[in-house]
Amino acid sequence: MSTQIPEIVAAESITEWSGDYDVVVAGFGIAGGCAAVEAAAHGARVLVLERAGVAGGTTALAGGHFYLGGGTAVQQATGHQDSSEEMYKYLLAVSRDPEPDKIRAYCDGSVEHFDWIEALGFEFERSYYKEKAVIQPGTQGLMYTGNEKVWPYRDQAIPAPRGHKVPVPGETQGAGMVIELLVKRAAALGVEVWYETGATNIVTDSDGGVAGVRWRRPGETGAVRAKSVVLAAGGFVMNAEMVGEHVPWLSEKPFVLGTTYDDGLGIRLGVSAGGAVRNMDQAFVTAPVYPPSTLLTGLVVNSAGVRFVAEDSYHSRTSAFVLEQPGAAAYLIVDSEHMERPEFPLAPFIDGWETVQEMAEALGIPPAALQSTLDRYNEHAARGEDPDFRKGAEWLEPQSTGPWGAFDLTLGKALYAGFTLGGLRTSVHGEVLRDSGSPVPGLYAAGATSSTLAQDGKGYASGTQLGAGSFFGRRAGRHAASRSS
Ligand SMILES: Cc1cc2nc3c(=O)[nH]c(=O)nc-3n(C[C@H](O)[C@H](O)[C@H](O)COP(=O)(O)OP(=O)(O)OC[C@H]3O[C@@H](n4cnc5c(N)ncnc54)[C@H](O)[C@@H]3O)c2cc1C
């Protein structure tokens, strides 16, 4: 692993080219697959270099949420009103440092993109899962996967569920189905794929524009000429040095989620050609306490006995707030009427206590502070109100019946897992941008190699990575193809 920026290779120094293409794509995950298919569909001669022996990358691990809206066929069939305007307002509101042109394009193009994904050869189930969960347990097509119903966002945009899940049961690996379909579509369109072949350097011509890439496979190296190069080589969560440099807290206790080749090479290749980066210090980190959603009727307090987040927030939002508390310590407190064991016990159950005093002493929280927080919460919850964090009324139930139990959300006790969200700065067309904002001619990036729509854990919605990776992958492929006509 390294933080080293690969050297740029001058086109004049290459004596023998191993091929000449309009578009070369580095990486066959969701972003690279979509870029390749779209470029080929627009008439480009396309080569994909894939470092692994198979396509898929981290996408093949993903559960399969695509964040889409504005009136998709599943939203319509399940009676959920949505518009690109409300989706735009929502995504703008949850973004830490929004890129309005990209959000606008994503929302305006969302229904068309949904149709395009289905046209690869499957249907999202026309069904809705109404529970609060991390992902639909079965093949239900739609659920809420963000903070749409959480204050203040519910006042800023009309909530709608936008988490579309591919029809594969289970928590992980559903998106592999989409990769298989992309591989088939790419083959039908004449896209060449070289497996076990990684891009190692960007090749530039004398005016700094991209002229191709150098590649390496076991026992062999070479260079291909290309009018455009799309970097879709994943993120950097598996590069301990890069994580240590940009997101040091992520390198300490949380598990990192990704595949071996999420080593940031795609990002470093973009930087070598002059590309700028964004949001490199941001990550999605989570240790969900639900399902069962009943647990969200409880209170989350820090070591001072103080609440700090609406407990009905999307799990990575809650987690991001926990990590900001003193000692990254927090507890979920639930009374005996609402106590259930989590389906995925990532936050360990500590114990149960007959009195609030005993519980506070065991947790090391000042007893008077915890009692006062609980009293205030219960008093308002009984009226369906939460003046402090405006938790949704459906999750407001007094926690007044002892004994009380607590789950440990503290970093190092709960099993947090996450991945990085930063990457190359790109235009609405997927062009890699310099610090000045000008594009590096012929260079594109998409998916986790770029900084996509999801910018931090507080605003993250499940499905934005696959959604934006596929959407902006297509846009990059299309724009790259237009350079060769
Ligand atoms: C367990 C899990 C569940 C998830 N669930 C969801 C979900 O439901 N919805 C969602 O939106 N997001 C989800 N995510 C996040 C999402 O999976 C990733 O952000 C997304 O798949 C990244 O896609 P990508 O195309 O950018 O990268 P990848 O899918 O990782 O593809 C990159 C490819 O590039 C190849 N590569 C690397 N370096 C080179 C090189 N130098 N040259 C050539 N090839 C190279 C890699 O081998 C890989 O095949 C999940 C993540 C995990 C870990």
Side-chain angles (χ1 to χ4, degrees):
M1 292 302 159
S2 120
T3 54
Q4 203 186 341
I5 305 300
E7 277 179 15
I8 284 286
V9 175
E12 308 89 76
S13 71
I14 293 178
T15 49
E16 192 187 346
W17 295 93
S18 40
D20 189 347
Y21 297 84
D22 295 321
V23 180
V24 169
V25 179
F28 201 135
I30 190 73
C34 289
V37 162
E38 193 80 335
H42 283 77
R45 286 169 301 121
V46 182
L47 168 69
V48 182
L49 302 177
E50 170 49 61
R51 207 164 157 193
V54 290
T58 299
T59 305
L61 301 179
H65 273 149
F66 284 77
Y67 193 86
L68 300 165
T72 66
V74 184
Q75 289 180 318
Q76 290 189 28
T78 56
H80 291 96
Q81 287 276 333
D82 195 14
S83 68
S84 61
E85 188 57 29
E86 293 306 321
M87 185 179 175
Y88 173 77
K89 285 196 276 184
Y90 173 72
L91 286 175
L92 201 65
V94 287
S95 298
R96 197 174 53 92
D97 179 17
E99 295 176 285
D101 58 340
K102 281 160 98 171
I103 298 177
R104 176 63 78 186
Y106 185 65
C107 298
D108 287 353
S110 193
V111 170
E112 184 277 337
H113 188 53
F114 169 93
D115 294 341
W116 186 90
I117 294 170
E118 285 205 325
L120 289 171
F122 75 99
E123 271 203 352
F124 290 98
E125 198 173 278
R126 271 49 174 167
S127 58
Y128 174 62
Y129 185 66
K130 68 176 176 30
E131 298 301 321
K132 204 159 163 73
V134 174
I135 192 163
Q136 297 88 318
T139 53
Q140 302 91 336
L142 188 64
M143 67 176 268
Y144 277 93
T145 59
N147 294 293
E148 296 84 353
K149 293 200 282 188
V150 175
W151 186 83
Y153 309 114
R154 63 173 179 253
D155 293 346
Q156 294 170 344
I158 300 170
R162 303 193 180 101
H164 293 70
K165 188 197 176 198
V166 298
V168 179
E171 296 282 314
T172 58
Q173 300 182 12
M177 188 195 78
V178 182
I179 293 289
E180 282 172 27
L181 294 170
L182 282 168
V183 168
K184 279 192 198 143
R185 181 62 59 91
L189 287 164
V191 171
E192 273 184 57
V193 187
W194 296 357
Y195 290 104
E196 295 193 334
T197 309
T200 56
N201 304 81
I202 300 286
V203 178
T204 58
D205 54 28
S206 49
D207 63 11
V210 166
V213 288
R214 279 193 69 81
W215 53 263
R216 179 168 54 221
R217 67 171 71 113
E220 211 182 342
T221 61
V224 278
R225 220 188 251 286
K227 295 188 181 71
S228 306
V229 171
V230 182
L231 299 171
F236 66 96
V237 76
M238 292 301 179
N239 183 327
E241 287 181 37
M242 279 181 82
V243 171
E245 179 178 333
H246 298 286
V247 213
W249 56 269
L250 182 60
S251 62
E252 287 163 21
K253 289 176 181 147
F255 282 100
V256 284
L257 293 172
T259 40
T260 316
Y261 295 142
D262 281 318
D263 64 355
L265 180 52
I267 296 170
R268 288 179 281 128
L269 285 169
V271 168
S272 75
V277 289
R278 291 186 92 230
N279 299 311
M280 290 294 278
D281 56 349
Q282 297 300 318
F284 161 92
V285 176
T286 193
V289 290
Y290 59 88
S293 44
T294 314
L295 291 174
L296 296 180
T297 61
L299 306 74
V300 175
V301 298
N302 63 17
S303 52
V306 174
R307 287 175 73 214
F308 51 86
V309 67
E311 293 82 357
D312 59 343
S313 298
Y314 174 69
H315 49 91
S316 79
R317 181 174 174 79
T318 304
S319 299
F321 277 100
V322 169
L323 300 182
E324 287 178 358
Q325 302 310 304
Y331 308 97
L332 169 69
I333 291 171
V334 185
D335 79 356
S336 58
E337 284 195 359
H338 301 91
M339 175 55 72
E340 281 183 40
R341 291 299 172 109
E343 284 177 27
F344 310 101
L346 300 176
F349 178 71
I350 302 172
D351 208 347
W353 301 273
E354 292 297 329
T355 66
V356 176
Q357 172 84 24
E358 285 170 316
M359 173 166 66
E361 281 166 9
L363 298 177
I365 296 176
L370 186 58
Q371 188 67 61
S372 133
T373 298
L374 199 58
D375 289 347
R376 179 173 167 82
Y377 179 85
N378 287 343
E379 179 196 332
H380 291 288
R383 293 199 294 268
E385 292 168 4
D386 175 21
D388 300 327
F389 295 95
R390 320 267 180 103
K391 185 171 169 179
E394 62 184 307
W395 307 111
L396 281 168
E397 290 178 29
Q399 304 294 311
S400 42
T401 311
W404 289 267
F407 295 91
D408 204 343
L409 307 186
T410 304
L411 179 65
K413 300 283 178 49
L415 290 179
Y416 284 85
F419 49 79
T420 57
L421 293 172
L424 291 164
R425 179 178 171 196
T426 52
S427 74
V428 70
H429 305 297
E431 301 153 292
V432 172
L433 301 178
R434 301 187 175 97
D435 273 327
S436 65
S438 66
V440 177
L443 190 62
Y444 296 81
T449 301
S450 63
S451 166
T452 70
L453 293 183
Q455 299 179 330
D456 67 9
K458 284 184 183 164
Y460 191 86
S462 182
T464 45
Q465 288 293 91
L466 294 178
S470 53
F471 182 82
F472 289 106
R474 285 180 65 202
R475 283 180 81 94
R478 206 150 64 224
H479 202 272
S482 74
R483 297 184 79 245
S484 50
S485 52

